[in-house]
Amino acid sequence: MNTFTTVLSFLVAFFTLATAAPLQLRDVWAPPVLYPHAGTVWTIGSRHNITWNTTNPPQQITNSNGFVILRNDTAFVGSDLDHPLVSNFSILAGRVEMTVPNVEPGSGYQIILFGDSGNVSPYFTISA
Ligand SMILES: *[C@@H]1O[C@H](CO)[C@@H](O)[C@H](O)[C@H]1NC(C)=O
Ligand SMILES: *[C@@H]1O[C@H](CO)[C@@H](O)[C@H](O)[C@H]1NC(C)=O
Ligand SMILES: *[C@@H]1O[C@H](CO)[C@@H](O)[C@H](O)[C@H]1NC(C)=O
Ligand SMILES: *[C@@H]1O[C@H](CO)[C@@H](O)[C@H](O)[C@H]1NC(C)=O
């Protein structure tokens, strides 16, 4: 083996290891949001349970402390990463109660459920 093929096989081995490793280190869980779903209409100020599917969580969850953010097509609305809509609940609970914030009525809203990972709901409507 000349120097070139030695270096090349080292690089190939290193690259294979580097790309394979993260999959083994972490088991990210993004539980699907069940409610709100497509067709949901929420009225400003009303209270609802956001729900998600907690079937088959991984044995190790990196972060079980959940929070929820509301967004429209382009931006976080009435909440952001520092000021979530609702926070400090267990991602294993499968539901969390929240109050619909006073935002511009529209049909392009989604909630993002964060915990171990983030998961986005289907688009739903907020009405006045
Ligand atoms: C949310 O779910 C809990 C448990 O099922 C229930 O007691 C509560 O009334 C629900 N809240 C709303 C706003 O529906
Ligand atoms: C929840 O997830 C499980 C496993 O993926 C699936 O079998 C089940 O149908 C889901 N439940 C709902 C209500 O979507
Ligand atoms: C989304 O929210 C941003 C920030 O409030 C606003 O500027 C924008 O017009 C909204 N877009 C839609 C489609 O409602
Ligand atoms: C989060 O929830 C835990 C357990 O319910 C409670 O002990 C803690 O004080 C809460 N933290 C905040 C910032 O609300």
Side-chain angles (χ1 to χ4, degrees):
M1 234 198 271
N2 63 30
T3 310
F4 177 73
T5 49
T6 306
V7 169
L8 189 67
S9 57
F10 173 78
L11 284 176
V12 167
F14 179 77
F15 187 72
T16 307
L17 198 70
T19 51
L23 296 175
Q24 295 158 0
L25 290 177
R26 205 159 165 262
D27 199 2
V28 170
W29 187 49
V33 174
L34 300 174
Y35 183 83
H37 47 64
T40 295
V41 179
W42 280 351
T43 305
I44 290 166
S46 62
R47 283 182 72 72
H48 296 280
N49 278 308
I50 295 167
T51 64
W52 57 94
N53 192 340
T54 55
T55 308
N56 299 329
Q59 293 196 332
Q60 300 251 313
I61 292 183
T62 312
N63 175 24
S64 66
N65 207 14
F67 64 98
V68 167
I69 285 174
L70 181 71
R71 55 161 286 168
N72 67 13
D73 286 344
T74 53
F76 294 148
V77 189
S79 59
D80 60 41
L81 293 171
D82 292 328
H83 310 92
L85 212 52
V86 50
S87 63
N88 199 34
F89 55 87
S90 170
I91 198 73
L92 294 167
R95 67 158 190 100
V96 66
E97 215 173 35
M98 48 76 69
T99 301
V100 182
N102 189 1
V103 295
E104 195 65 33
S107 59
Y109 285 102
Q110 294 176 295
I111 61 111
I112 310 174
L113 173 68
F114 287 93
D116 196 42
S117 178
N119 207 342
V120 183
S121 77
Y123 286 106
F124 65 96
T125 298
I126 293 180
S127 71

